């Protein structure tokens, strides 16, 4: 399969306004973990390999060089530094070899957009009905933003928006239009 991660998902066009910025977080890689038939053994093995429990749905925990977000019961998304995802995948695959689990790279199919600036909350609020004030670092939310299924992961001074890679340009254009009168 051709790797797409090297291609600029925004096709050279970030949104940069005074008070709002949207860029592709190309320094991050994604890895999906899905325990296909949830059993305590698989969860325990993954936790032992990582040195920490997998987070509950809607929570994010940090590890060495990665964060893991609980997307749904039995489904997690690892957000790692680009160079860390291969070793993380290998660690999980070894630990879960005897379990019904899937460890798959997700960077080629997903894009991570980083929204920053004081106007980001207003722009985000225009695209979702989610109570963004209740979403803090250490949490995540699978929701719809601008009509697109996304995972929102707040950081201290930014919001990560994870979406289908093929929709990155649409989200950029939507954020450009939505931020025009916010800044």
């Amino acid at each position: 399969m051709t790797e797409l991660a090297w291609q600029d998902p925004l096709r050279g066009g970030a949104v940069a306004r005074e008070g709002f910025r949207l860029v592709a977080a190309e320094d991050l890689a994604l890895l999906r973990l899905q325990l296909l038939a949830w059993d305590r053994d698989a969860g325990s093995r993954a936790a032992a390999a990582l040195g920490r429990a997998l987070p509950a749905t809607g929570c994010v925990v940090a590890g060495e060089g990665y964060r893991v977000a609980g997307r749904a019961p039995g489904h997690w998304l690892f957000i790692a530094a680009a160079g860390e995802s291969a070793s993380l995948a290998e660690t999980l695959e070894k630990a879960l070899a005897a379990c019904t689990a899937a460890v798959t790279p997700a960077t080629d199919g997903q894009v991570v957009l980083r929204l920053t600036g004081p106007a980001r909350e207003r722009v985000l609020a225009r695209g979702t009905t989610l109570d963004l004030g209740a979403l803090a670092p250490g949490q995540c939310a699978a929701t719809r933003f601008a009509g697109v299924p996304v995972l929102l992961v707040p950081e201290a001074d930014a919001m990560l928006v994870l979406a289908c890679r093929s929709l990155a340009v649409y989200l950029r254009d939507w954020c450009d239009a939505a931020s025009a009168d916010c800044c």
Side-chain angles (χ1 to χ4, degrees), residues 42-77:
S44 298
R45 285 176 180 231
L50 297 170
R52 63 187 29 83
L54 293 168
T57 300
C59 296
V60 177
V61 296
E64 299 238 359
Y66 68 88
R67 287 174 281 171
V68 60
R71 285 190 66 118
H75 189 191
W76 295 269
L77 189 66

Side-chain angles (χ1 to χ4, degrees), residues 8-32:
D8 178 9
L10 296 178
R11 298 199 181 117
V15 176
R17 299 183 185 284
E18 187 175 324
F20 179 77
R21 183 167 170 80
L22 176 144
V23 297
E26 297 182 70
D27 58 331
L28 298 175
L30 303 174
L31 183 68
R32 184 178 297 118

Side-chain angles (χ1 to χ4, degrees), residues 83-92:
E84 300 291 322
S85 65
S87 64
L88 184 58
E90 185 178 319
T91 299
L92 288 168

